[in-house]
């Protein structure tokens, strides 16, 4: 209509306040249609590969452990990978391992004690959307490899065996060639290799998964296990229910019986005053 653009300042540029607001929006959780949750069989394939490798494959072992941790704790890539990000990854000092009610000393406990831990906790410090000093505590999964507690224990054992400082990210790896890092690219590569091996029966292509898929995968597994969606949202620290709506619609076991149930859900409505009586 010929009016001035209200978004522009006197220099004819987008007002900096609007720029900052849009930038903040872009840092929020990605749109749900960009996330492909991966099924458990992908994790089992990765666990099988790792079980065939010796200790010299330290980077691959670390990558697998970080994959399992991200899945169980519903972590963002910046929280579990050792790479530049807008959030802070969990470190050695953010971990608590316990056997029952006894908290283990991560510096002095034996390897066997750490691997025998019954619970593992991650304490939020500066992680995105995390409440400072909030703790997420999980128990063992029952699997010797795909387990949040044993994955943490394996990372702690590796770091302390290499005299890593307490502020060392859990995704850092010490090798004879030097210090390596578990990056989002390494995570994505391992996931895509597993998806490629398992084939099209998964329902998606390798290019459709990335390091972000693990957060959605863990939430989907909880949803299929009939965990309350409010609890899942709390654990995943989602500030809106956008992701949960997407997961409800994409999780096959949740949706597969809906059509059958709907045909058996006959009902009548309570009549209002305009409906004539018999």
């Amino acid at each position: 209509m010929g009016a001035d653009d209200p978004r522009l300042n006197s220099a004819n540029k987008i007002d900096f306040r609007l720029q900052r607001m849009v930038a903040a929006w872009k840092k929020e959780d990605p749109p749900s249609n960009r996330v492909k949750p991966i099924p458990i069989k992908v994790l089992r394939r990765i666990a099988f590969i790792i079980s065939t490798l010796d200790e010299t494959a330290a980077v691959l072992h670390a990558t697998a452990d970080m994959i399992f941790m991200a899945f169980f704790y519903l972590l963002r890539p910046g929280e579990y990978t050792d790479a530049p990000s807008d959030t802070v990854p969990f470190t050695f000092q953010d971990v608590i391992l316990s056997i029952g009610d006894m908290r283990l000393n991560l510096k002095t406990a034996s390897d066997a004690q750490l691997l025998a831990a019954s619970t593992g906790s991650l304490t939020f410090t500066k992680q995105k959307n995390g409440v400072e000093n909030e703790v997420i505590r999980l128990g063992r999964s029952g699997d010797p490899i795909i387990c949040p507690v044993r994955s943490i224990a394996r990372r702690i054992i590796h770091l302390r065996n290499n005299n890593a400082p307490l502020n060392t990210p859990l995704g850092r790896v010490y090798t004879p060639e030097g210090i390596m890092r578990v990056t989002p690219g390494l995570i994505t590569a391992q996931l895509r290799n597993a998806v490629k091996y398992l084939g099209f029966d998964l329902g998606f292509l390798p290019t459709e998964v990335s390091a972000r898929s693990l957060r959605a995968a863990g939430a989907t597994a909880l949803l299929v296990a009939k965990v309350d969606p409010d609890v899942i949202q709390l654990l995943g620290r989602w500030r809106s229910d956008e992701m949960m709506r997407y997961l409800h619609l994409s999780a096959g076991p949740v949706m597969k019986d809906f059509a059958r149930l709907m045909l058996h859900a006959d009902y009548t409505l309570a009549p209002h005053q305009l409906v004539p009586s018999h």
Side-chain angles (χ1 to χ4, degrees):
M1 301 296 291
D4 293 335
D5 190 336
R7 301 173 303 164
L8 305 182
N9 57 24
S10 58
N12 207 38
K13 297 183 180 295
I14 298 293
D15 187 278
F16 83 95
R17 290 168 293 185
L18 292 175
Q19 292 178 356
R20 293 181 66 178
M21 181 173 65
V22 171
W25 284 342
K26 289 181 178 180
K27 291 182 180 179
E28 293 296 328
D29 292 326
S32 57
N33 60 359
R34 295 184 184 178
V35 178
K36 289 291 185 183
I38 58 172
I40 304 298
K41 62 180 68 176
V42 174
L43 300 186
R44 295 198 184 282
R45 172 62 185 173
I46 292 172
F48 171 76
I49 294 298
I50 291 302
S51 69
T52 66
L53 303 176
D54 59 27
E55 295 181 357
T56 60
V59 175
L60 290 179
H61 279 284
T63 301
D65 282 335
M66 301 315 294
I67 285 174
F68 303 145
M69 286 174 54
F71 170 78
F72 285 108
Y73 287 96
L74 312 188
L75 301 181
R76 296 176 174 86
E79 295 170 341
Y80 70 94
T81 59
D82 187 8
S85 173
D86 61 350
T87 189
V88 178
F90 287 101
T91 66
F92 190 121
Q93 62 192 356
D94 298 328
V95 168
I96 298 174
L97 290 173
S98 302
I99 297 178
D101 294 329
M102 181 182 69
R103 178 174 175 177
L104 298 175
N105 186 321
L106 300 184
K107 293 182 178 180
T108 60
S110 67
D111 290 358
Q113 286 178 311
L114 294 180
L115 291 171
S118 55
T119 61
S121 303
L122 295 177
T123 301
F124 285 87
T125 53
K126 299 179 181 179
Q127 288 75 19
K128 182 179 178 182
N129 283 7
V131 177
E132 188 173 355
N133 294 323
E134 185 176 52
V135 177
I136 297 181
R137 183 182 187 184
L138 295 179
R140 296 167 68 109
S141 69
D143 188 284
I145 299 178
I146 310 174
C147 175
V149 183
R150 289 181 69 87
S151 293
I152 290 177
R154 288 190 292 263
R155 297 310 308 140
I156 294 299
I157 290 171
H158 173 81
L159 293 179
R160 74 174 190 178
N161 285 350
N162 289 277
N163 299 314
L166 291 178
N167 62 351
T168 303
L170 296 177
R172 192 157 297 179
V173 189
Y174 294 82
T175 72
E177 293 75 28
I179 296 177
M180 307 292 286
R181 291 171 171 81
V182 176
T183 64
L186 281 175
I187 298 291
T188 297
Q190 290 301 310
L191 294 176
R192 290 180 177 177
N193 286 340
V195 170
K196 182 178 180 180
Y197 175 85
L198 293 171
F200 299 136
D201 289 344
L202 292 175
F204 51 85
L205 301 173
T207 54
E208 295 182 274
V209 300
S210 71
R212 291 204 314 268
S213 297
L214 293 165
R215 180 167 157 81
T220 303
L222 289 171
L223 185 65
V224 172
K226 302 187 184 304
V227 175
D228 190 307
D230 288 340
V231 175
I232 301 174
Q233 187 168 339
L234 182 64
L235 175 61
R237 292 153 287 119
W238 279 289
R239 291 180 176 177
S240 73
D241 61 356
E242 179 182 1
M243 177 62 76
M244 294 309 302
R245 288 199 303 268
Y246 165 69
L247 295 179
H248 269 90
L249 296 176
S250 64
V254 174
M255 303 290 290
K256 68 176 183 179
D257 290 332
F258 277 16
R260 178 180 59 81
L261 294 173
M262 290 164 75
L263 284 182
H264 289 83
D266 197 11
Y267 55 87
T268 59
L269 299 180
H272 54 69
Q273 68 271 22
L274 297 181
V275 176
S277 58
H278 294 295

